[in-house]
Short mmCIF file of all heavy atoms in Angstrom, two decimals:
data_model
loop_
_atom_site.label_atom_id
_atom_site.label_comp_id
_atom_site.label_asym_id
_atom_site.label_seq_id
_atom_site.Cartn_x
_atom_site.Cartn_y
_atom_site.Cartn_z
N MET A 1 0.85 -1.19 0.00
CA MET A 1 0.00 0.00 0.00
C MET A 1 0.88 1.23 0.00
O MET A 1 1.84 1.33 0.74
CB MET A 1 -0.89 0.01 1.23
CG MET A 1 -1.67 1.31 1.42
SD MET A 1 -2.68 1.22 2.92
CE MET A 1 -3.30 2.90 2.95
N VAL A 2 0.58 2.20 -0.85
CA VAL A 2 1.33 3.44 -0.89
C VAL A 2 0.35 4.57 -0.68
O VAL A 2 -0.68 4.65 -1.34
CB VAL A 2 2.03 3.62 -2.24
CG1 VAL A 2 2.81 4.90 -2.25
CG2 VAL A 2 2.93 2.44 -2.51
N SER A 3 0.64 5.47 0.25
CA SER A 3 -0.29 6.56 0.52
C SER A 3 0.42 7.88 0.55
O SER A 3 1.60 7.96 0.85
CB SER A 3 -0.99 6.31 1.86
OG SER A 3 -0.05 6.29 2.91
N ALA A 4 -0.30 8.95 0.25
CA ALA A 4 0.24 10.30 0.31
C ALA A 4 -0.56 11.09 1.32
O ALA A 4 -1.78 11.01 1.36
CB ALA A 4 0.16 10.97 -1.05
N ILE A 5 0.10 11.89 2.18
CA ILE A 5 -0.56 12.64 3.22
C ILE A 5 -0.12 14.09 3.12
O ILE A 5 1.08 14.38 3.09
CB ILE A 5 -0.19 12.10 4.62
CG1 ILE A 5 -0.50 10.61 4.70
CG2 ILE A 5 -0.91 12.88 5.72
CD1 ILE A 5 0.04 9.96 5.96
N GLN A 6 -1.06 15.02 3.05
CA GLN A 6 -0.73 16.44 2.99
C GLN A 6 -1.23 17.12 4.24
O GLN A 6 -2.38 16.93 4.65
CB GLN A 6 -1.35 17.11 1.76
CG GLN A 6 -0.96 18.58 1.63
CD GLN A 6 -1.47 19.18 0.35
OE1 GLN A 6 -2.16 18.52 -0.40
NE2 GLN A 6 -1.14 20.42 0.12
N LYS A 7 -0.41 17.93 4.87
CA LYS A 7 -0.80 18.63 6.08
C LYS A 7 -1.50 19.94 5.73
O LYS A 7 -1.24 20.54 4.68
CB LYS A 7 0.43 18.90 6.94
CG LYS A 7 1.12 17.62 7.43
CD LYS A 7 2.31 17.93 8.28
CE LYS A 7 2.98 16.65 8.74
NZ LYS A 7 4.17 16.92 9.55
N ASN A 8 -2.34 20.43 6.61
CA ASN A 8 -3.11 21.65 6.39
C ASN A 8 -2.26 22.86 6.75
O ASN A 8 -2.36 23.42 7.84
CB ASN A 8 -4.39 21.63 7.24
CG ASN A 8 -5.33 20.53 6.79
OD1 ASN A 8 -5.43 20.27 5.60
ND2 ASN A 8 -6.01 19.90 7.75
N THR A 9 -1.41 23.27 5.85
CA THR A 9 -0.58 24.46 6.03
C THR A 9 -0.72 25.32 4.81
O THR A 9 -1.17 24.87 3.75
CB THR A 9 0.90 24.08 6.22
OG1 THR A 9 1.30 23.25 5.13
CG2 THR A 9 1.10 23.29 7.51
N PRO A 10 -0.36 26.62 4.88
CA PRO A 10 -0.48 27.51 3.71
C PRO A 10 0.25 26.94 2.51
O PRO A 10 1.26 26.25 2.64
CB PRO A 10 0.15 28.82 4.21
CG PRO A 10 0.01 28.77 5.71
CD PRO A 10 0.13 27.33 6.07
N ARG A 11 -0.23 27.33 1.33
CA ARG A 11 0.32 26.79 0.08
C ARG A 11 1.81 27.02 -0.04
O ARG A 11 2.56 26.14 -0.46
CB ARG A 11 -0.42 27.40 -1.11
CG ARG A 11 0.09 26.93 -2.47
CD ARG A 11 -0.66 27.62 -3.59
NE ARG A 11 -0.17 27.17 -4.89
CZ ARG A 11 -0.65 26.10 -5.52
NH1 ARG A 11 -1.59 25.38 -4.96
NH2 ARG A 11 -0.17 25.75 -6.69
N SER A 12 2.29 28.20 0.32
CA SER A 12 3.69 28.54 0.13
C SER A 12 4.62 27.75 1.04
O SER A 12 5.81 27.65 0.79
CB SER A 12 3.91 30.05 0.34
OG SER A 12 3.55 30.38 1.67
N THR A 13 4.04 27.20 2.15
CA THR A 13 4.88 26.45 3.08
C THR A 13 4.36 25.03 3.25
O THR A 13 4.59 24.40 4.28
CB THR A 13 4.92 27.15 4.44
OG1 THR A 13 3.57 27.23 4.95
CG2 THR A 13 5.53 28.52 4.33
N ALA A 14 3.64 24.52 2.24
CA ALA A 14 3.03 23.20 2.37
C ALA A 14 4.08 22.13 2.62
O ALA A 14 5.16 22.16 2.04
CB ALA A 14 2.26 22.87 1.10
N ARG A 15 3.73 21.23 3.54
CA ARG A 15 4.60 20.11 3.81
C ARG A 15 3.80 18.83 3.63
O ARG A 15 2.58 18.83 3.78
CB ARG A 15 5.12 20.16 5.25
CG ARG A 15 5.93 21.40 5.58
CD ARG A 15 7.29 21.36 4.95
NE ARG A 15 8.08 20.27 5.51
CZ ARG A 15 9.30 19.96 5.09
NH1 ARG A 15 9.84 20.62 4.10
NH2 ARG A 15 9.96 18.97 5.65
N GLY A 16 4.45 17.74 3.36
CA GLY A 16 3.72 16.50 3.22
C GLY A 16 4.67 15.34 3.25
O GLY A 16 5.89 15.50 3.24
N VAL A 17 4.12 14.14 3.32
CA VAL A 17 4.94 12.95 3.30
C VAL A 17 4.36 11.94 2.36
O VAL A 17 3.15 11.91 2.11
CB VAL A 17 5.06 12.32 4.71
CG1 VAL A 17 5.77 13.26 5.65
CG2 VAL A 17 3.69 11.93 5.24
N ILE A 18 5.20 11.12 1.80
CA ILE A 18 4.80 9.95 1.04
C ILE A 18 5.23 8.74 1.85
O ILE A 18 6.41 8.63 2.21
CB ILE A 18 5.45 9.93 -0.35
CG1 ILE A 18 4.96 11.11 -1.18
CG2 ILE A 18 5.15 8.61 -1.06
CD1 ILE A 18 5.66 11.25 -2.51
N VAL A 19 4.31 7.88 2.17
CA VAL A 19 4.60 6.73 3.02
C VAL A 19 4.53 5.45 2.21
O VAL A 19 3.51 5.17 1.57
CB VAL A 19 3.61 6.66 4.21
CG1 VAL A 19 3.98 5.48 5.11
CG2 VAL A 19 3.62 7.96 4.99
N LEU A 20 5.61 4.69 2.20
CA LEU A 20 5.66 3.41 1.51
C LEU A 20 5.47 2.31 2.55
O LEU A 20 6.29 2.18 3.46
CB LEU A 20 7.00 3.24 0.79
CG LEU A 20 7.37 4.35 -0.18
CD1 LEU A 20 8.72 4.04 -0.80
CD2 LEU A 20 6.32 4.50 -1.26
N ARG A 21 4.41 1.54 2.40
CA ARG A 21 4.15 0.50 3.38
C ARG A 21 4.51 -0.89 2.85
O ARG A 21 4.45 -1.86 3.58
CB ARG A 21 2.69 0.54 3.80
CG ARG A 21 2.28 1.88 4.38
CD ARG A 21 0.87 1.83 4.92
NE ARG A 21 0.38 3.14 5.27
CZ ARG A 21 0.67 3.78 6.40
NH1 ARG A 21 1.46 3.20 7.28
NH2 ARG A 21 0.20 4.98 6.64
N GLY A 22 4.85 -0.99 1.57
CA GLY A 22 5.32 -2.26 1.04
C GLY A 22 4.28 -3.36 1.04
O GLY A 22 4.61 -4.53 1.05
N ALA A 23 3.00 -3.00 1.01
CA ALA A 23 1.96 -4.02 1.11
C ALA A 23 1.94 -4.93 -0.10
O ALA A 23 1.62 -6.11 -0.01
CB ALA A 23 0.59 -3.36 1.27
N THR A 24 2.32 -4.42 -1.26
CA THR A 24 2.27 -5.23 -2.47
C THR A 24 3.27 -6.36 -2.44
O THR A 24 3.10 -7.37 -3.11
CB THR A 24 2.53 -4.36 -3.71
OG1 THR A 24 3.79 -3.70 -3.54
CG2 THR A 24 1.43 -3.34 -3.89
N SER A 25 4.36 -6.19 -1.69
CA SER A 25 5.37 -7.25 -1.62
C SER A 25 5.24 -8.07 -0.35
O SER A 25 6.02 -8.99 -0.13
CB SER A 25 6.78 -6.63 -1.67
OG SER A 25 6.98 -5.82 -0.54
N GLY A 26 4.26 -7.69 0.50
CA GLY A 26 4.08 -8.43 1.73
C GLY A 26 5.04 -8.03 2.82
O GLY A 26 5.07 -8.59 3.90
N ARG A 27 5.87 -7.00 2.55
CA ARG A 27 6.85 -6.54 3.54
C ARG A 27 6.77 -5.03 3.62
O ARG A 27 6.46 -4.35 2.65
CB ARG A 27 8.28 -6.94 3.14
CG ARG A 27 8.50 -8.42 3.00
CD ARG A 27 9.98 -8.71 2.76
NE ARG A 27 10.46 -8.05 1.56
CZ ARG A 27 10.38 -8.62 0.35
NH1 ARG A 27 9.80 -9.80 0.20
NH2 ARG A 27 10.87 -8.01 -0.70
N ALA A 28 7.10 -4.51 4.78
CA ALA A 28 7.18 -3.06 4.92
C ALA A 28 8.59 -2.62 4.58
O ALA A 28 9.56 -3.31 4.86
CB ALA A 28 6.83 -2.66 6.35
N ALA A 29 8.71 -1.45 3.95
CA ALA A 29 10.03 -0.94 3.59
C ALA A 29 10.63 -0.25 4.78
O ALA A 29 10.00 0.59 5.41
CB ALA A 29 9.89 0.04 2.42
N THR A 30 11.83 -0.59 5.13
CA THR A 30 12.49 0.03 6.26
C THR A 30 13.04 1.38 5.86
O THR A 30 13.45 1.59 4.73
CB THR A 30 13.65 -0.86 6.77
OG1 THR A 30 14.57 -1.05 5.70
CG2 THR A 30 13.13 -2.19 7.24
N GLY A 31 13.07 2.33 6.80
CA GLY A 31 13.59 3.64 6.45
C GLY A 31 13.44 4.62 7.59
O GLY A 31 13.47 4.27 8.75
N VAL A 32 13.21 5.89 7.23
CA VAL A 32 13.10 6.96 8.22
C VAL A 32 11.75 6.87 8.91
O VAL A 32 10.73 6.68 8.27
CB VAL A 32 13.23 8.34 7.53
CG1 VAL A 32 13.10 9.45 8.55
CG2 VAL A 32 14.56 8.41 6.81
N HIS A 33 11.73 6.99 10.24
CA HIS A 33 10.49 6.89 10.98
C HIS A 33 10.02 8.28 11.40
O HIS A 33 10.81 9.19 11.59
CB HIS A 33 10.68 6.02 12.23
CG HIS A 33 11.32 4.69 11.93
ND1 HIS A 33 10.94 3.94 10.85
CD2 HIS A 33 12.31 4.02 12.55
CE1 HIS A 33 11.66 2.82 10.82
NE2 HIS A 33 12.51 2.86 11.83
N SER A 34 8.73 8.43 11.54
CA SER A 34 8.16 9.70 11.96
C SER A 34 7.02 9.41 12.92
O SER A 34 6.35 8.39 12.82
CB SER A 34 7.66 10.49 10.76
OG SER A 34 7.06 11.70 11.17
N LYS A 35 6.77 10.31 13.85
CA LYS A 35 5.70 10.14 14.82
C LYS A 35 4.37 9.95 14.12
O LYS A 35 4.01 10.71 13.23
CB LYS A 35 5.65 11.35 15.74
CG LYS A 35 4.61 11.20 16.86
CD LYS A 35 4.65 12.41 17.77
CE LYS A 35 3.62 12.26 18.89
NZ LYS A 35 3.65 13.43 19.80
N GLY A 36 3.64 8.94 14.52
CA GLY A 36 2.34 8.69 13.93
C GLY A 36 2.38 7.76 12.75
O GLY A 36 1.34 7.36 12.23
N LEU A 37 3.59 7.39 12.28
CA LEU A 37 3.72 6.48 11.15
C LEU A 37 4.06 5.08 11.67
O LEU A 37 4.69 4.95 12.72
CB LEU A 37 4.83 6.95 10.20
CG LEU A 37 4.57 8.26 9.46
CD1 LEU A 37 5.81 8.61 8.66
CD2 LEU A 37 3.36 8.13 8.55
N PRO A 38 3.68 4.04 10.93
CA PRO A 38 4.07 2.69 11.33
C PRO A 38 5.58 2.59 11.45
O PRO A 38 6.32 3.23 10.70
CB PRO A 38 3.53 1.81 10.20
CG PRO A 38 2.45 2.62 9.58
CD PRO A 38 2.86 4.05 9.72
#
Side-chain angles (χ1 to χ4, degrees):
M1 172 181 174
V2 181
S3 62
I5 305 170
Q6 183 174 3
K7 297 180 180 179
N8 295 323
T9 54
R11 179 182 180 88
S12 61
T13 59
R15 300 286 296 177
V17 296
I18 296 174
V19 182
L20 305 179
R21 302 186 190 280
T24 56
S25 64
R27 300 187 300 273
T30 59
V32 179
H33 309 317
S34 178
K35 184 177 180 180
L37 293 176

